[in-house]
Amino acid sequence: MSDIPLIDLAADPFALFATWMAEAEKTEPNDPNAMAVATATPDGRPSVRMLLLKGADERGFVFYTNLESRKGRELRENPHAALLFHWKSLRRQIRIEGPVEPVSAAEADAYFTSRSRTSRLGAIASDQSRPLDDRKTFEERLKTVQEKYGDGPIPRPANWSGFRVVPEAIEFWQDRPFRLHDRAVWTRSKSGDDKGWNVTRLYP
Protein backbone atom coordinates (compact mmCIF):
# COMPACT_ATOMS: atom_id res chain seq x y z
CA MET A 1 0.00 0.00 0.00
CA SER A 2 3.03 2.26 0.29
CA ASP A 3 6.62 2.36 -0.89
CA ILE A 4 7.73 3.66 2.53
CA PRO A 5 9.81 0.87 4.13
CA LEU A 6 8.58 -0.59 7.38
CA ILE A 7 10.54 -0.03 10.57
CA ASP A 8 13.21 -2.73 10.86
CA LEU A 9 12.44 -4.72 14.00
CA ALA A 10 15.92 -6.28 13.89
CA ALA A 11 17.60 -2.89 14.28
CA ASP A 12 19.39 -1.74 17.41
CA PRO A 13 17.23 1.12 18.77
CA PHE A 14 20.19 3.42 19.40
CA ALA A 15 21.52 2.85 15.87
CA LEU A 16 18.05 3.46 14.44
CA PHE A 17 17.75 6.66 16.48
CA ALA A 18 21.11 7.85 15.14
CA THR A 19 20.01 7.11 11.57
CA TRP A 20 16.75 9.00 11.94
CA MET A 21 18.51 11.92 13.63
CA ALA A 22 21.08 12.11 10.82
CA GLU A 23 18.27 12.17 8.25
CA ALA A 24 16.45 14.88 10.22
CA GLU A 25 19.60 17.00 10.26
CA LYS A 26 19.41 17.07 6.45
CA THR A 27 15.74 17.99 6.21
CA GLU A 28 14.65 19.95 9.28
CA PRO A 29 15.01 23.73 8.78
CA ASN A 30 15.69 24.43 12.47
CA ASP A 31 16.92 22.47 15.48
CA PRO A 32 16.54 18.83 14.43
CA ASN A 33 17.63 17.97 17.97
CA ALA A 34 14.64 19.78 19.51
CA MET A 35 12.54 17.57 21.76
CA ALA A 36 9.63 17.89 24.15
CA VAL A 37 10.68 16.94 27.68
CA ALA A 38 7.92 15.89 30.06
CA THR A 39 8.44 15.74 33.82
CA ALA A 40 6.05 15.34 36.73
CA THR A 41 5.72 16.22 40.37
CA PRO A 42 5.72 13.43 42.99
CA ASP A 43 1.90 13.45 42.93
CA GLY A 44 1.84 13.05 39.14
CA ARG A 45 1.13 16.58 37.87
CA PRO A 46 2.90 16.78 34.50
CA SER A 47 4.68 19.64 32.76
CA VAL A 48 6.35 19.73 29.35
CA ARG A 49 8.67 22.06 27.45
CA MET A 50 10.95 22.08 24.40
CA LEU A 51 14.68 21.54 24.91
CA LEU A 52 17.66 20.57 22.77
CA LEU A 53 19.22 17.13 22.92
CA LYS A 54 22.93 17.53 23.67
CA GLY A 55 24.13 13.95 23.77
CA ALA A 56 22.95 10.48 22.78
CA ASP A 57 24.62 7.11 23.08
CA GLU A 58 23.88 3.70 24.58
CA ARG A 59 23.92 5.23 28.06
CA GLY A 60 20.97 7.48 27.25
CA PHE A 61 19.85 10.92 26.09
CA VAL A 62 21.29 14.10 27.63
CA PHE A 63 20.04 17.64 28.14
CA TYR A 64 21.20 20.52 30.34
CA THR A 65 19.36 22.99 32.55
CA ASN A 66 19.34 25.16 35.63
CA LEU A 67 18.89 22.64 38.45
CA GLU A 68 16.66 25.11 40.31
CA SER A 69 14.26 25.49 37.39
CA ARG A 70 10.85 23.81 37.51
CA LYS A 71 12.06 20.79 35.51
CA GLY A 72 15.20 20.58 37.64
CA ARG A 73 13.16 20.50 40.83
CA GLU A 74 10.68 17.98 39.45
CA LEU A 75 13.45 15.68 38.24
CA ARG A 76 15.05 15.69 41.68
CA GLU A 77 11.71 14.86 43.32
CA ASN A 78 10.52 12.38 40.66
CA PRO A 79 13.53 11.21 38.61
CA HIS A 80 11.70 10.03 35.51
CA ALA A 81 11.09 11.75 32.18
CA ALA A 82 9.60 11.28 28.75
CA LEU A 83 11.03 12.71 25.53
CA LEU A 84 9.37 13.30 22.18
CA PHE A 85 11.10 14.09 18.89
CA HIS A 86 8.83 15.16 16.01
CA TRP A 87 10.28 15.71 12.56
CA LYS A 88 7.54 17.16 10.40
CA SER A 89 9.69 17.12 7.26
CA LEU A 90 10.08 13.34 7.56
CA ARG A 91 6.68 12.64 9.12
CA ARG A 92 8.36 10.77 11.94
CA GLN A 93 8.46 10.83 15.68
CA ILE A 94 10.31 9.03 18.45
CA ARG A 95 9.10 8.67 22.05
CA ILE A 96 11.52 7.80 24.86
CA GLU A 97 10.68 7.03 28.49
CA GLY A 98 12.83 6.16 31.47
CA PRO A 99 14.49 7.19 34.71
CA VAL A 100 16.97 10.07 34.79
CA GLU A 101 20.40 10.34 36.33
CA PRO A 102 22.71 13.36 36.66
CA VAL A 103 25.56 13.68 34.20
CA SER A 104 29.06 13.79 35.64
CA ALA A 105 30.67 17.09 36.62
CA ALA A 106 33.21 16.57 33.83
CA GLU A 107 30.45 16.18 31.24
CA ALA A 108 28.65 19.28 32.50
CA ASP A 109 31.89 21.30 32.52
CA ALA A 110 32.74 20.23 28.97
CA TYR A 111 29.34 21.17 27.58
CA PHE A 112 29.15 24.45 29.52
CA THR A 113 32.54 25.46 28.12
CA SER A 114 31.34 24.70 24.58
CA ARG A 115 28.47 27.20 24.82
CA SER A 116 28.79 30.75 23.54
CA ARG A 117 30.18 33.24 26.04
CA THR A 118 26.89 35.15 26.21
CA SER A 119 24.96 31.93 26.86
CA ARG A 120 27.30 31.07 29.73
CA LEU A 121 26.90 34.52 31.24
CA GLY A 122 23.13 34.28 30.81
CA ALA A 123 23.07 30.97 32.69
CA ILE A 124 24.70 32.72 35.66
CA ALA A 125 22.46 35.80 35.49
CA SER A 126 19.17 33.93 35.13
CA ASP A 127 17.06 32.54 37.98
CA GLN A 128 15.34 30.25 35.48
CA SER A 129 11.59 29.71 35.93
CA ARG A 130 11.34 32.21 38.79
CA PRO A 131 9.23 35.40 38.66
CA LEU A 132 10.90 38.40 36.95
CA ASP A 133 9.55 41.84 37.85
CA ASP A 134 10.85 43.49 34.69
CA ARG A 135 12.98 42.47 31.71
CA LYS A 136 15.31 45.34 32.55
CA THR A 137 16.17 43.64 35.84
CA PHE A 138 17.51 40.61 33.98
CA GLU A 139 19.41 42.78 31.50
CA GLU A 140 21.06 44.67 34.37
CA ARG A 141 22.01 41.40 36.07
CA LEU A 142 23.53 40.18 32.81
CA LYS A 143 25.53 43.38 32.50
CA THR A 144 26.79 42.96 36.07
CA VAL A 145 27.92 39.41 35.32
CA GLN A 146 29.63 40.54 32.12
CA GLU A 147 31.56 43.18 34.05
CA LYS A 148 32.49 40.69 36.76
CA TYR A 149 34.08 38.15 34.42
CA GLY A 150 35.32 40.53 31.70
CA ASP A 151 37.40 38.54 29.23
CA GLY A 152 38.35 35.92 31.80
CA PRO A 153 37.15 32.36 32.25
CA ILE A 154 33.51 31.76 33.19
CA PRO A 155 33.05 28.94 35.70
CA ARG A 156 30.02 26.67 35.47
CA PRO A 157 27.61 27.64 38.24
CA ALA A 158 26.86 24.90 40.78
CA ASN A 159 23.15 25.06 39.97
CA TRP A 160 23.64 24.34 36.26
CA SER A 161 24.17 20.80 35.02
CA GLY A 162 22.59 18.03 32.99
CA PHE A 163 20.42 14.95 33.13
CA ARG A 164 20.59 11.70 31.23
CA VAL A 165 17.36 9.86 30.43
CA VAL A 166 18.15 6.14 30.60
CA PRO A 167 15.58 4.62 28.25
CA GLU A 168 13.32 1.81 29.33
CA ALA A 169 11.21 2.23 26.17
CA ILE A 170 11.91 3.77 22.75
CA GLU A 171 9.04 3.97 20.28
CA PHE A 172 9.49 4.82 16.59
CA TRP A 173 6.56 6.15 14.55
CA GLN A 174 6.49 6.56 10.77
CA ASP A 175 3.64 8.25 8.95
CA ARG A 176 2.01 6.22 6.19
CA PRO A 177 -0.92 7.05 3.88
CA PHE A 178 -4.51 6.98 5.17
CA ARG A 179 -3.28 7.05 8.79
CA LEU A 180 -2.09 3.45 8.48
CA HIS A 181 1.05 4.44 10.34
CA ASP A 182 3.93 2.15 11.26
CA ARG A 183 4.85 1.94 14.96
CA ALA A 184 7.36 -0.18 16.82
CA VAL A 185 8.49 -0.07 20.44
CA TRP A 186 11.69 -1.38 21.99
CA THR A 187 11.41 -2.10 25.73
CA ARG A 188 14.40 -2.95 27.86
CA SER A 189 14.49 -6.55 28.99
CA LYS A 190 14.09 -7.07 32.73
CA SER A 191 14.93 -10.78 32.76
CA GLY A 192 17.97 -11.58 34.89
CA ASP A 193 21.15 -9.88 33.75
CA ASP A 194 19.91 -9.56 30.16
CA LYS A 195 20.40 -5.97 29.06
CA GLY A 196 18.86 -6.51 25.66
CA TRP A 197 15.64 -5.27 24.18
CA ASN A 198 12.24 -6.73 23.41
CA VAL A 199 10.65 -5.26 20.28
CA THR A 200 7.01 -5.20 19.24
CA ARG A 201 5.19 -3.68 16.30
CA LEU A 202 2.09 -1.73 17.40
CA TYR A 203 -1.24 -1.06 15.77
CA PRO A 204 -1.35 2.48 14.35
Side-chain angles (χ1 to χ4, degrees):
M1 299 180 66
S2 172
D3 59 359
I4 301 172
L6 292 174
I7 297 168
D8 180 7
L9 299 189
D12 173 85
F14 294 106
L16 185 55
F17 176 89
T19 296
W20 281 26
M21 176 62 77
E23 292 173 0
E25 289 171 350
K26 298 176 183 177
T27 61
E28 286 294 298
N30 294 296
D31 299 328
N33 60 330
M35 59 184 180
V37 178
T39 58
T41 60
D43 60 352
R45 290 182 177 270
S47 61
V48 65
R49 74 289 289 161
M50 298 300 295
L51 296 178
L52 297 179
L53 177 73
K54 291 301 180 180
D57 56 30
E58 292 189 357
R59 295 175 299 165
F61 301 85
V62 174
F63 60 89
Y64 291 88
T65 186
N66 184 313
L67 300 179
E68 296 173 0
S69 65
R70 178 176 176 177
K71 59 184 170 297
R73 295 195 307 272
E74 290 182 353
L75 287 170
R76 289 197 304 274
E77 297 169 351
N78 182 1
H80 294 80
L83 312 178
L84 170 64
F85 296 85
H86 175 232
W87 297 304
K88 189 173 183 179
S89 63
L90 296 172
R91 298 182 180 274
R92 287 175 174 169
Q93 64 181 16
I94 298 176
R95 298 173 57 227
I96 298 167
E97 299 174 6
V100 301
E101 61 184 26
V103 302
S104 68
E107 289 175 294
D109 287 342
Y111 176 65
F112 188 76
T113 301
S114 76
R115 303 179 87 202
S116 72
R117 189 171 185 84
T118 300
S119 294
R120 283 178 280 161
L121 294 169
I124 296 172
S126 175
D127 288 333
Q128 193 177 97
S129 300
R130 296 177 183 176
L132 176 62
D133 60 348
D134 188 275
R135 176 72 182 187
K136 186 176 180 181
T137 300
F138 174 56
E139 292 172 350
E140 290 175 346
R141 290 186 65 173
L142 179 60
K143 183 178 179 181
T144 298
V145 172
Q146 289 172 326
E147 292 172 347
K148 176 180 178 179
Y149 291 103
D151 295 327
I154 304 170
R156 175 176 63 88
N159 65 349
W160 192 97
S161 190
F163 292 97
R164 175 177 286 105
V165 180
V166 181
E168 292 179 335
I170 306 177
E171 181 185 325
F172 295 81
W173 180 97
Q174 173 68 66
D175 178 274
R176 291 172 71 87
F178 308 108
R179 298 187 180 275
L180 305 179
H181 310 311
D182 189 23
R183 296 173 62 190
V185 60
W186 276 254
T187 55
R188 198 178 291 276
S189 174
K190 293 181 172 60
S191 59
D193 294 328
D194 184 5
K195 296 183 179 180
W197 295 88
N198 298 315
V199 59
T200 305
R201 182 161 269 122
L202 303 175
Y203 277 101

